[in-house]
Amino acid sequence: MYYPAMLNLRDKKCVVVGGGPVALRKCLALLECEASVKVVSLVFQKEFYELSAGCIELIQDVFHTKYIEDCFLVVAATGEKELNRDIYRYCEDNRILINVVDEPELCSFIVPAYLRRGDLTISISTGGKSPALAKRIKEEIERKYPAEYAEYVKIMGLIRERIMEKKHTQQERMQILTELSHLQCNVISDYYENMK
């Protein structure tokens, strides 16, 4: 059983081992979280070279543990089972968070399917049992929470700040914020404009 958590990866040293499409996808997700990313592989697909200069470090080499010695998190996406297992063992022995792609039993964390709308993040996990089911559920949630929710969450945060400044009891604040959370995006925008 996994403990659900959201990690702050800003400026944390993260390493992706592998240069294929799965490694690229994992790399892009780490960059989205503003991690400091190194990618180690003998061969990289061309999209790695198209990433903006300075946002990642590409190390064209066979894997050595020296590349992950001081990092916070590792993703092993090599496609080579024995190499992935070696990376897992090293990370476990050195208390480094490790995700071995497609092998949940070799992971100290798994990456759920997720939907991001600004500060709203909705994660869906099957504990690694059925990524296809998690993907299908994500697609259903995408239809329910369209792109406008990024602005909705932002405005809700601004309203919350204003309400917290007022002299309400905690119970009153909770009631107001709960009622506001049931309003539609366009209505919440109007409400915020009237608060100014």
Side-chain angles (χ1 to χ4, degrees):
M1 181 68 69
Y2 291 91
Y3 179 74
M6 303 285 282
L7 294 176
N8 178 0
L9 295 181
R10 180 176 289 154
D11 299 325
K12 297 274 193 319
K13 293 180 182 178
C14 299
V15 176
V16 177
V17 186
V22 175
L24 178 66
R25 197 172 69 244
K26 300 295 184 179
C27 178
L28 292 172
L30 292 169
L31 290 171
E32 186 181 349
C33 295
E34 300 177 20
S36 172
V37 182
K38 275 191 231 180
V39 186
V40 181
S41 182
L42 273 175
V43 179
F44 297 99
Q45 68 176 64
K46 65 180 171 74
E47 288 84 354
F48 278 103
Y49 299 106
E50 294 168 1
L51 294 171
S52 59
C55 75
I56 65 168
E57 180 183 353
L58 298 180
I59 300 171
Q60 193 162 11
D61 196 1
V62 295
F63 173 76
H64 296 284
T65 56
K66 67 182 179 182
Y67 294 129
I68 62 174
E69 283 174 351
D70 61 345
C71 71
F72 178 75
L73 178 151
V74 173
V75 175
T78 69
E80 298 176 36
K81 283 190 177 289
E82 199 49 49
L83 176 56
N84 284 347
R85 286 181 187 282
D86 290 344
I87 295 168
Y88 165 76
R89 286 186 207 103
Y90 179 87
C91 290
E92 281 291 292
D93 290 346
N94 291 278
R95 298 176 185 247
I96 299 169
L97 292 173
I98 174 70
N99 176 266
V100 177
V101 174
D102 291 333
E103 294 198 59
E105 67 280 3
L106 298 181
C107 296
S108 57
F109 74 97
I110 56 173
V111 181
Y114 64 90
L115 168 69
R116 189 165 303 198
R117 301 289 191 235
D119 288 321
L120 173 65
T121 303
I122 302 171
S123 299
I124 306 100
S125 175
T126 60
K129 303 283 189 297
S130 179
L133 176 60
K135 182 180 178 191
R136 194 200 83 206
I137 293 169
K138 175 190 169 193
E139 289 166 355
E140 292 172 10
I141 291 171
E142 281 176 327
R143 290 188 291 276
K144 184 166 175 68
Y145 297 97
E148 302 86 69
Y149 269 81
E151 186 66 17
Y152 179 75
V153 171
K154 182 178 173 185
I155 293 170
M156 286 293 289
L158 295 169
I159 291 171
R160 182 178 182 273
E161 286 175 13
R162 292 271 173 93
I163 288 172
M164 297 302 269
E165 292 168 359
K166 299 192 184 283
K167 294 184 178 171
H168 295 296
T169 66
Q170 177 150 354
Q171 187 175 358
E172 288 170 333
R173 285 194 298 261
M174 184 63 105
Q175 183 178 347
I176 293 166
L177 293 169
T178 299
E179 288 173 9
L180 288 173
S181 73
H182 293 283
L183 298 176
Q184 298 296 319
C185 292
N186 60 334
V187 176
I188 206 73
S189 295
D190 292 342
Y191 181 90
Y192 177 66
E193 289 303 317
N194 291 331
M195 286 181 80
K196 292 182 177 177

